Amino acid sequence: MEQIQYYYFNLPIMRDALPTMLHGLGLTVLMALTTVAMGVGAGLLLAILRSYPSRWIRWPIICFVDVFRSLPQLVIIILIYFALPYAGIEFSPFWSTVLGLSLVLAAFAQESFWAGITATPRGQWEAATATGLSHTATVLFVVLPPAIKTSIPSLTNRIIAVTKGTALGSAVAVQELLAHAQSIQSVVANPSPLTLGALLYMAIFAPMVAFSRWLEWRYRWSR
Amino acid sequence: MTSAPVLQISDLRKSFGSEEVLKGVNLTVQRGEVVVLLGSSGSGKSTFLRCINRLEEPTSGSITLNGNSVTASNANLRTLRKQIGMVFQSFNLYPHLTALKNITLALRLSLGQTRQAAEEQAKHMLAQVGLAEKAHAHPSELSGGQQQRVAIARALALEPQVMLFDEPTSALDPELVGSVLEVIRLLRQRHMTMVIVTHELGFAREAADRIIMMDKGEIVEEGPPEQLFTAPKHPRTREFLKHFTGR
Ligand SMILES: Nc1ncnc2c1ncn2[C@@H]1O[C@H](COP(=O)(O)OP(=O)(O)OP(=O)(O)O)[C@@H](O)[C@H]1O
Ligand SMILES: [Mg+2]
């Protein structure tokens, strides 16, 4: 019992590690927020574009989405960080991670929004078309508002799943939460900083998970 | 003055795959005329109406609205659609918008009206259909009859040349049908040109200037209501009337 406490819940070590780790936490949160903004924004844009009746728009979007839904996030981040420089394109570790995760989130968010768009009854499109609205106006003002509402539960789940991937940034040396936990852990030869890291991850993601539960619950009863 | 046709439809054909649903329909509607379209289920009435504003793409044939071709490949569809009001069986109101905003949306986006002008016009339209006090209600807070009247107001607000109604009362509880028919009667008094698909035969008889009987994608009989109801010529018309009045 004491062994467990010493190795995993060593409070003095945790106390010393905390300031540095909070620094890492800040970067994790920053990466997560940037990823959400870029990924959800791009996903929404792609879903809107996909609704246009042109296969030259639709096809590339479907390809993009399927590629980024199937590649592991770590592979994408590593490719951006280690492979793109050979083509003369360089991103910092921070932006490699954020860009990689944003691409993945954009693909999944597109699917969520698209599901909402296709769930819109045909009569909504027809009523708008019959009153002379353009396709763009119909999508923006008639179809999207309810579609976004429909897509929120699945979108929230995706956001949680993808933003947790910020921990992968440690693989390309972003000094985020997990990277700090690992380096302190090797210095003090005690895994307690990792426990602290896990607790800090919980502190940011548990509220999001609770929020998504609440959303699902609310949606179930509002139908 | 009544000689200028608003709608002129000739040899309209529509196929879904190999099934020909409209087999060369001809119809001319004069200004201020009320035409009621009857026909059993699947005879092509909805498809016919939906071809008029090209919600459904006709396979062949021509349609003109006030002399302007709707079917030409270079037709300005958005402009033409604004002049063709359409009312659907299932209302198709926008659920996230209030009654007022359901009406102002097209006024602002299709006609480019200012917000203030659009709201004034929308309130005026709501008052006409007897729903002035429901301007800020969402569709889910309205009865079916009220929803349909908002939908009519939405189409009317654009001041169309012709109104198309596809079974406007079929989705309503019997006690709500009257309020919607009342609005259509009012439009008739104001000489609105209308093409109405309905199974309300009493209303058809009273409100129509002309009745068209459709069967399997063709017009099999047409004439003034008295003639069609009292002395139907085509066997399908007789059968149809017997079926619907016998209920
Ligand atoms: N989008 C479509 N794709 C394939 N077939 C269709 C489509 N729309 C209509 N049809 C077919 O066309 C025929 C005519 O349908 P339509 O809806 O015009 O009939 P209707 O006279 O309006 O019938 P109802 O009184 O039931 O509304 C039917 O056989 C129907 O199955
Ligand atoms: Mg029909």
Side-chain angles (χ1 to χ4, degrees):
Chain A
M1 197 63 209
E2 261 171 37
Q3 291 277 325
I4 291 178
Q5 189 175 1
Y6 179 81
Y7 281 114
Y8 297 103
F9 297 96
N10 194 319
L11 290 179
I13 289 181
M14 283 184 175
R15 192 181 337 105
D16 292 344
L18 191 61
T20 322
M21 303 250 319
L22 282 178
H23 221 81
L25 181 71
L27 203 58
T28 292
V29 170
L30 186 64
M31 282 201 290
L33 292 178
T34 318
T35 300
V36 171
M38 287 177 30
V40 173
L44 183 59
L45 189 67
L46 289 176
I48 292 171
L49 288 175
R50 187 172 168 183
S51 73
Y52 284 81
S54 155
R55 82 180 72 143
W56 300 110
I57 302 178
R58 205 168 358 147
W59 249 90
I61 293 175
I62 294 172
C63 289
F64 166 86
V65 166
D66 286 353
V67 166
F68 283 94
R69 285 203 306 168
S70 40
L71 284 176
Q73 297 173 4
L74 184 58
V75 173
I76 298 169
I77 294 169
I78 300 236
L79 279 174
I80 293 174
Y81 187 66
F82 291 106
L84 282 187
Y86 291 98
I89 307 168
E90 279 188 54
F91 288 104
S92 66
F94 176 91
W95 283 109
S96 298
T97 310
V98 167
L99 187 62
L101 295 177
S102 296
L103 288 168
V104 175
L105 184 54
F108 281 109
Q110 190 280 151
E111 285 298 293
S112 294
F113 289 128
W114 183 247
I117 288 176
T118 51
T120 307
R122 201 158 68 120
Q124 298 285 309
W125 292 89
E126 292 181 346
T129 307
T131 50
L133 259 62
S134 65
H135 181 89
T136 309
T138 303
V139 173
L140 291 184
F141 298 102
V142 173
V143 175
L144 268 189
I148 288 178
K149 226 178 125 191
T150 320
S151 57
I152 283 177
S154 80
L155 188 64
T156 319
N157 283 331
R158 284 308 172 184
I159 287 175
I160 294 169
V162 176
T163 51
K164 278 192 300 191
T166 51
L168 298 171
S170 57
V172 292
V174 184
Q175 290 307 301
E176 50 71 68
L177 185 52
L178 181 63
H180 279 302
Q182 274 179 317
S183 66
I184 300 172
Q185 174 257 157
S186 64
V187 171
V188 299
N190 181 302
S192 289
L194 291 174
T195 315
L196 180 61
L199 289 172
L200 291 175
Y201 274 116
M202 288 279 290
I204 43 173
F205 284 105
M208 281 176 69
V209 172
F211 176 64
S212 84
R213 279 250 173 278
W214 175 78
L215 273 179
E216 274 165 19
W217 175 83
R218 213 189 62 159
Y219 273 67
R220 183 153 334 132
W221 294 109
S222 70
R223 267 153 204 247
Chain B
M1 194 190 128
T2 53
S3 64
V6 173
L7 264 182
Q8 202 150 21
I9 297 158
S10 48
D11 199 26
L12 186 70
R13 289 169 189 277
K14 172 68 184 176
S15 303
F16 290 109
S18 60
E19 189 197 358
E20 192 168 42
V21 171
L22 297 177
K23 299 168 183 160
V25 178
N26 296 289
L27 178 69
T28 301
V29 183
Q30 304 296 334
R31 183 165 306 288
E33 196 181 12
V34 178
V35 173
V36 167
L37 206 56
L38 301 179
S40 52
S41 181
S43 57
K45 308 179 299 292
S46 297
T47 307
F48 176 67
L49 284 193
R50 293 159 54 80
C51 279
I52 295 177
N53 64 358
R54 281 178 63 184
L55 278 186
E56 212 71 77
E57 204 52 48
T59 308
S60 70
S62 83
I63 302 168
T64 60
L65 177 72
N66 283 331
N68 301 311
S69 175
V70 179
T71 38
S73 56
N74 64 351
N76 187 340
L77 270 187
R78 286 188 55 201
T79 305
L80 289 163
R81 280 173 176 152
K82 283 181 249 177
Q83 301 170 39
I84 305 174
M86 187 168 231
V87 175
F88 304 84
Q89 183 175 347
S90 50
F91 330 136
N92 296 348
L93 291 182
Y94 313 132
H96 59 294
L97 298 177
T98 61
L100 190 79
K101 299 257 183 220
N102 261 276
I103 301 172
T104 57
L105 191 73
L107 290 176
R108 299 200 59 197
L109 297 173
S110 295
L111 297 189
Q113 288 187 4
T114 63
R115 183 189 165 130
Q116 203 190 353
E119 288 189 353
E120 237 161 70
Q121 165 91 338
K123 281 183 185 151
H124 178 65
M125 296 319 304
L126 281 174
Q128 304 235 313
V129 298
L131 292 172
E133 77 287 3
K134 295 292 186 186
H136 300 291
H138 280 82
S140 59
E141 298 161 330
L142 299 173
S143 74
Q146 292 171 332
Q147 288 186 54
Q148 191 60 299
R149 282 184 281 156
V150 173
I152 294 173
R154 175 174 67 180
L156 277 179
L158 296 167
E159 298 178 346
Q161 297 291 316
V162 57
M163 286 284 287
L164 312 176
F165 293 86
D166 191 359
E167 302 197 31
T169 59
S170 291
L172 299 178
D173 292 337
E175 71 271 21
L176 301 175
V177 168
S179 67
V180 171
L181 295 183
E182 199 49 50
V183 170
I184 301 178
R185 278 190 198 100
L186 190 76
L187 292 178
R188 182 177 192 273
Q189 281 166 20
R190 301 207 182 137
H191 309 292
M192 172 60 80
T193 312
M194 298 188 272
V195 180
I196 306 171
V197 172
T198 183
H199 291 308
E200 297 287 332
L201 296 193
F203 174 75
R205 191 167 182 168
E206 150 216 334
D209 295 311
R210 184 155 50 117
I211 296 209
I212 307 276
M213 178 68 204
M214 218 165 158
D215 184 52
K216 299 197 181 79
E218 287 174 305
I219 294 179
V220 293
E221 183 167 1
E222 65 173 284
E226 280 320 308
Q227 177 194 319
L228 211 116
F229 277 100
T230 52
K233 292 198 189 77
H234 198 276
R236 286 296 290 142
T237 316
R238 272 180 241 142
E239 217 175 294
F240 178 84
L241 292 176
K242 195 154 67 180
H243 176 72
F244 272 91
T245 46
R247 283 206 300 195

